[in-house]
Amino acid sequence: MLSGFRGLSPLVRGQGYGRVMLEAAMVQAFADPVVQRVGLGVYARNVGAMRLYEQLGFRRESVNPEASRVGGEWWAAVTMGLSRDAWRP
């Protein structure tokens, strides 16, 4: 699982930086022949991020409808995965 990545500043979203960073991370991950799959978690409300992940080949695997409680409301989280076979650099 990609760990620690928290996204981009709203000031630079939509300019392609997220794609570049994720593509570099996938190249690095799949350079190790032991790595067969990369997984990540994203809040379901983050539609832009999920669209980017799907464009890169990630597929939705599961949804946790009560992943985090934020301001008295439950936020759903989606687990997404990308297999080595599905990765197209």
Side-chain angles (χ1 to χ4, degrees), residues 32-71:
D32 183 340
V34 173
V35 175
Q36 295 300 310
R37 181 188 169 282
V38 173
L40 58 79
V42 60
Y43 286 119
R45 61 179 38 210
N46 194 344
V47 177
M50 287 198 310
R51 184 177 26 227
L52 171 60
Y53 303 148
E54 288 174 337
Q55 289 171 358
L56 293 172
F58 283 86
R59 295 295 168 246
R60 298 174 196 208
E61 296 176 341
S62 65
V63 177
N64 179 349
E66 296 182 345
S68 297
R69 192 165 173 87
V70 179

Side-chain angles (χ1 to χ4, degrees), residues 7-49:
L8 296 173
S9 164
L11 300 173
V12 296
R13 288 186 188 147
Q15 297 180 34
Y17 296 114
R19 175 180 294 279
V20 170
M21 290 171 37
L22 283 167
E23 287 176 343
M26 297 301 95
V27 167
Q28 181 74 27
F30 290 129
D32 183 340
V34 173
V35 175
Q36 295 300 310
R37 181 188 169 282
V38 173
L40 58 79
V42 60
Y43 286 119
R45 61 179 38 210
N46 194 344
V47 177

